[in-house]
Amino acid sequence: MSSGRLLVMALNLRGPIPNAAAITSHLPDSVLLIRLNSESEKGEDMLDESYERLQAWADGTLPGLYGFDDDIDLKHTPEKPRTVPLLHPVLEVEGVSSSSKEICDEIRSICDSRGDHEVRIDASAGRKEDAAGLVRLPIVDDLRRGCTVWYTDVTSGTSVEIGGELVEDKEPPL
C-alpha cells in the first residue's frame, strides 16, 4: 500500500476552476469530490457540467470537449495536472452537516484502502456554508489521519493552511 495525499472538497457549482486550482496546488494522489445536491434542475445540470469539465481538464481532453481539433495550438488552455490524481467516485449528499458521518466514513474508507493518507480538506470551492461545514467535519480532529484544512486562492494558486502556519505556492497558478 502506498502513502499519499487525499484532497477532499466540494464540487463547485459554477465551474471547475476552484477545484482544478486546488488540485494543481496540493498535488494530491487522490481526490474525493463532495457533490451537494442542488435545489433546482438547472443547478444539477451545472454540477454535471462542472464535473465533466473537471474530468476533461484532468485527462487533458478539455479542447475536445469544446469541439476544438486535436492539432490546434491553444495557448490559453489550462494544462492538465502534472500528476493526474485518482478521482474517486463523487460522493453525493444532501448537505455537509446532515451527511457529516457519511463523508467522514468515506474519507476513512479511502484512507484505509490506500494506506496512511494525509487528508487535506480544501474550502475554496462550493457555497460558503458548505465550506464552513467541511471545515467542521469531525475527521478534522482525527490527528492520526494528518487532517488539515486549506484555502486555495484561484488567482495566485497559493494554498494556505487554515488555523496553521503552512503556505504553499510551489505550482504556477491555473
Side-chain angles (χ1 to χ4, degrees):
M1 288 196 206
S2 67
S3 178
R5 181 176 293 160
L6 170 64
L7 178 61
V8 179
M9 62 186 155
L11 177 61
N12 199 57
L13 176 75
R14 303 227 181 262
I17 293 175
N19 296 119
I23 291 169
T24 299
S25 179
H26 293 288
L27 298 173
D29 297 293
S30 59
V31 175
L32 174 61
L33 291 168
I34 310 296
R35 180 179 172 144
L36 299 145
N37 291 338
S38 174
E39 299 180 8
S40 70
E41 188 174 326
K42 180 180 179 186
E44 290 297 318
D45 291 344
M46 290 170 72
L47 283 167
D48 289 342
E49 182 180 333
S50 185
Y51 185 65
E52 180 182 33
R53 289 169 55 199
L54 184 66
Q55 281 186 306
W57 166 75
D59 295 341
T61 59
L62 194 57
L65 182 66
Y66 290 100
F68 291 102
D69 292 333
D70 292 336
D71 60 351
I72 193 166
D73 181 25
L74 298 174
K75 295 178 183 166
H76 300 292
T77 300
E79 292 183 26
K80 74 180 203 170
R82 190 173 47 166
T83 304
V84 179
L86 169 65
L87 293 176
H88 292 280
V90 174
L91 180 60
E92 295 188 35
V93 297
E94 289 296 320
V96 174
S97 296
S98 62
S99 303
S100 65
K101 181 181 180 334
E102 182 181 354
I103 295 168
C104 291
D105 288 348
E106 185 67 19
I107 293 169
R108 286 184 188 100
S109 175
I110 291 169
C111 290
D112 290 347
S113 70
R114 295 186 48 83
D116 279 328
H117 264 73
E118 169 194 2
V119 177
R120 288 190 177 187
I121 297 173
D122 195 290
S124 58
R127 299 177 304 187
K128 290 179 179 105
E129 62 267 26
D130 298 327
L134 286 173
V135 169
R136 291 190 301 263
L137 284 173
I139 199 161
V140 172
D141 296 327
D142 186 352
L143 299 177
R144 263 181 337 125
R145 301 264 183 225
C147 188
T148 53
V149 179
W150 294 75
Y151 180 85
T152 301
D153 179 70
V154 173
T155 306
S156 68
T158 301
S159 291
V160 178
E161 181 185 15
I162 297 172
E165 298 179 5
L166 296 176
V167 175
E168 293 182 349
D169 57 2
K170 297 176 279 209
E171 294 298 311
L174 186 63

